[in-house]
Amino acid sequence: ELSLCGLEATLIPVLSFEFVSLESLFEKLSHPECYGGLVFTSPRALEAIKICLKEKSKSEAWSKSLKQSWSTKPAYVVGNATASLVEEIGLIPQGEKSGNAEKLAEFICSRENPNSSSLLFPCGSLKREVLPTVLKEKGIPLESLTVYQTTQHSQLQESLSSYFSQQGIPASIVFFSPSGVKFCLEHIQKLCGDFINQVKFAALGPTTAAALRAAGLPVSCTAETPAPRALAAGLREALGLHGGC
């Protein structure tokens, strides 16, 4: 999408994910009668479920009865990427236009009654507390289960150093998550040195933009929606490039 808009992009992996508690996850998925629905704020949570379903016995149990039982309940999602993975496991996503946890929490509160059955929330170790806090305030029960842990990619520093030595200071650096800001920023500040003010910092969404501002960096672009085309349009404007994508 960026290249279609005349932008040359280099992707540097920042995060590594380790999946955990998968037996506990499937045990809970095996009892849809205990829950009012599902909540997903990350594609990784769906990847955890797909790993479970690679096992033949679990896949058969899902196909024979569990999928049908869960399909009668809402599967709330934060964006289109997560929604498409929900569809891959045979469920119908709701709330994908939310775009961030705050708006998804509002959407869920508009659909759920207080003190109903808990919503099952498979999540990561670095999840933000916005969604659980909002639901708790409204009396909507949420059961969180950590199914993946987020760590710094083992080759991050090496990849960044290699990019800067070969390409120089980039026109823009885009961050996709607060954890990306956390793990990258110190390396980037060292590599940019006095030229850091030349770089246009961009964020895929408001949460990441807030993390950049908290680190003392100006945000030149926040994508209107967490989608490639919206990011490309925002970058072109921030970089002063004329014409549409």
Side-chain angles (χ1 to χ4, degrees):
E1 193 67 46
L2 293 174
S3 66
L4 288 172
C5 290
L7 300 167
E8 184 184 340
T10 301
L11 179 65
I12 295 179
V14 174
L15 308 175
S16 291
F17 302 101
E18 178 190 355
F19 293 97
V20 296
S21 305
L22 296 185
E23 285 300 323
S24 295
L25 172 60
F26 196 76
E27 173 63 23
K28 293 178 187 300
L29 289 173
S30 298
H31 294 282
E33 71 280 2
C34 296
Y35 298 98
L38 292 157
V39 179
F40 300 107
T41 58
S42 159
R44 258 73 56 192
L46 273 306
E47 287 172 30
I49 292 177
K50 292 180 84 171
I51 291 169
C52 288
L53 298 182
K54 283 180 180 177
E55 197 173 312
K56 188 179 178 184
S57 61
K58 292 182 171 70
S59 178
E60 287 176 352
W62 181 259
S63 298
K64 284 179 181 175
S65 63
L66 295 177
K67 179 168 66 174
Q68 175 60 31
S69 296
W70 280 109
S71 68
T72 64
K73 304 169 188 286
Y76 296 110
V77 301
V78 79
N80 292 325
T82 309
S84 64
L85 290 171
V86 165
E87 290 170 346
E88 282 181 23
I89 63 169
L91 303 181
I92 299 170
Q94 297 182 25
E96 61 265 37
K97 289 187 169 62
S98 302
N100 60 54
E102 288 89 340
K103 288 182 180 175
L104 180 61
E106 290 174 16
F107 180 79
I108 293 171
C109 290
S110 73
R111 306 288 290 264
E112 295 291 324
N113 296 317
N115 305 314
S116 54
S117 297
S118 291
L119 299 171
L120 180 59
F121 179 31
C123 56
S125 56
L126 298 181
K127 80 173 189 307
R128 294 168 65 238
E129 291 303 318
V130 170
L131 187 142
T133 299
V134 172
L135 267 57
K136 186 177 181 181
E137 286 171 355
K138 299 289 187 181
I140 296 168
L142 183 75
E143 184 178 322
S144 302
L145 176 68
T146 299
V147 296
Y148 66 92
Q149 293 175 338
T150 306
T151 57
Q152 179 177 310
H153 194 282
S154 60
Q155 295 182 320
L156 172 61
Q157 196 164 349
E158 183 183 326
S159 298
L160 284 169
S161 297
S162 174
Y163 174 90
F164 275 80
S165 65
Q166 292 174 25
Q167 307 275 350
I169 308 293
S172 177
I173 300 177
V174 182
F175 289 95
F176 291 80
S177 68
S179 47
V181 175
K182 173 186 169 185
F183 292 135
C184 271
L185 206 50
E186 189 179 340
H187 303 314
I188 286 171
Q189 286 169 327
K190 285 180 182 175
L191 290 163
C192 287
D194 294 336
F195 296 100
I196 196 162
N197 293 332
Q198 296 179 12
V199 179
K200 303 286 188 185
F201 286 95
L204 193 66
T207 308
T208 305
L212 281 165
R213 291 190 187 98
L217 290 173
V219 179
S220 300
C221 161
T222 304
E224 282 192 13
T225 61
R229 183 162 292 182
L231 174 63
L235 281 172
R236 283 185 62 86
E237 186 175 338
L239 295 167
L241 303 174
H242 301 294
C245 294

